[in-house]
Amino acid sequence: MKIYRIIAGVAVTLALAAGCKSQYDILLESNDVDAKYAAAFQYYNEGKYTRAASLFESLAMLTNGTERADTVQFYWALSNYSYGAYPTAEANFQSFLDNFPRSPFAENAEFLHVDCLYRATLRYELDQTPTYTAISAISEYILSHPEGANTDICRHMLEELNARLDKKAFENARLYYDMEDYLASRVAFRNILKDDADNIYREDILYYSAMSSYKYADLSVRSKQKERFLTFMDDYLNFIGEYPESHYRRELDRLYERAREKNETL
């Protein structure tokens, strides 16, 4: 008799639990496409994006192959995007674009996919692999939609990400300078300009390159100084040729005169 009482108690508990289910939970488990579809949009319009996303996700299989399929999958992605689940939204938008490249939502999905990649990038001190991925996707978007409504936004994204890469390259080279490894720092600064002549820190790079060559020469043994001061003098002339009005000019002028005087005695 005792076992029957336990079973009866469990049954009552389950029945009560079922009775306590919210309308949302019931909808989530149902196969009523029309009711789910209407509720998903209601939640989305009310800003309840996590609930909307779950309903759109459950609708994806139910509407597969129907005329609602692209709408459901787009709003599934858009719901995830709207509450800040950018990695999930990025995957959603990519899947959407793979499945519905001709959908009326396609261009907007392309932009939002790019925006998710942009938001996944990291500050310059950290790994920049996501930045390169985002730059590639943004560049493709701009080429595909040169007059698109979001193209100017993408151009600003591109400028910001390229500036971040420029800063990372500059700061990495300056580490050698700060560690007083002046030969390595000059090589690193020159390599930046070899790879990216338009680096936004070009003036600073040329300045630190000249400073590196001066300090390297100044710390060298006497027999090597003449040649190394000549390298600095070349760097100096390159710098003032490009930036004659630079705020670095006075300091470099002083070092140039000192290097010239030292070379006369060597």
Side-chain angles (χ1 to χ4, degrees):
M1 288 294 292
K2 187 174 181 182
I3 188 66
Y4 292 116
R5 286 192 194 124
I6 293 171
I7 291 170
V10 170
V12 169
T13 302
L14 290 173
L16 288 171
C20 293
K21 280 187 178 178
S22 68
Q23 186 65 28
Y24 169 75
D25 292 326
I26 293 167
L27 268 174
L28 197 58
E29 293 174 4
S30 91
N31 289 324
D32 187 336
V33 173
D34 290 336
K36 265 188 166 175
Y37 191 80
F41 275 102
Q42 182 178 340
Y43 282 125
Y44 178 83
N45 291 330
E46 291 173 354
K48 297 174 181 177
Y49 300 120
T50 55
R51 289 193 167 199
S54 296
L55 284 172
F56 283 123
E57 181 178 6
S58 68
L59 277 165
M61 288 298 293
L62 296 173
T63 58
N64 190 33
T66 72
E67 62 182 12
R68 288 177 170 178
D70 67 326
T71 301
V72 166
Q73 292 201 26
F74 176 75
Y75 275 92
W76 176 17
L78 191 58
S79 297
N80 282 319
Y81 176 88
S82 297
Y83 78 81
Y86 299 117
T88 304
E90 186 268 318
N92 288 155
F93 284 124
Q94 185 60 65
S95 176
F96 173 87
L97 292 167
D98 291 341
N99 292 321
F100 306 103
R102 298 180 186 278
S103 167
F105 300 114
E107 183 176 344
N108 199 17
E110 282 184 68
F111 169 70
L112 292 171
H113 177 254
V114 159
D115 190 52
C116 288
L117 292 172
Y118 167 77
R119 290 170 185 272
T121 59
L122 307 170
R123 64 182 190 268
Y124 81 88
E125 303 98 323
L126 302 176
D127 177 31
Q128 292 303 299
T129 300
T131 300
Y132 288 109
T133 301
I135 284 173
S136 177
I138 293 167
S139 299
E140 286 181 23
Y141 179 89
I142 292 171
L143 283 173
S144 300
H145 308 285
E147 304 300 327
N150 297 303
T151 299
D152 283 344
I153 296 172
C154 286
R155 289 196 180 100
H156 287 306
M157 289 179 182
L158 208 54
E159 286 176 12
E160 182 188 328
L161 295 179
N162 280 316
R164 190 180 303 171
L165 293 178
D166 285 356
K167 184 172 181 63
K168 185 175 182 68
F170 172 68
E171 294 294 347
N172 284 348
R174 197 163 67 169
L175 278 175
Y176 291 109
Y177 185 86
D178 292 341
M179 292 188 296
E180 300 183 359
D181 188 345
Y182 299 119
L183 177 59
S185 70
R186 183 178 187 274
V187 170
F189 285 122
R190 302 304 292 185
N191 282 342
I192 293 173
L193 297 183
K194 191 182 297 182
D195 295 336
D196 178 19
D198 296 323
N199 188 294
I200 62 172
Y201 295 93
R202 184 178 178 88
E203 180 180 353
D204 299 281
I205 289 167
L206 288 174
Y207 163 75
Y208 278 104
S209 180
M211 290 297 294
S212 297
S213 58
Y214 178 86
K215 292 187 176 186
Y216 181 60
D218 197 44
L219 293 170
S220 296
V221 296
R222 184 178 175 82
S223 61
K224 300 282 188 180
Q225 282 187 321
K226 189 175 186 71
E227 177 186 353
R228 292 172 183 175
F229 276 126
L230 287 173
T231 299
F232 160 71
M233 293 165 83
D234 284 341
D235 287 348
Y236 165 83
L237 293 172
N238 287 336
F239 181 88
I240 64 167
E242 286 197 41
Y243 300 102
E245 305 301 323
S246 172
H247 65 283
Y248 293 128
R249 175 70 187 266
R250 183 177 296 179
E251 179 184 12
L252 290 177
D253 282 349
R254 254 193 337 265
L255 294 180
Y256 179 79
E257 286 305 314
R258 195 176 299 166
R260 195 173 59 78
E261 290 168 4
K262 284 190 175 184
N263 265 10
E264 288 175 357
T265 65
L266 291 172

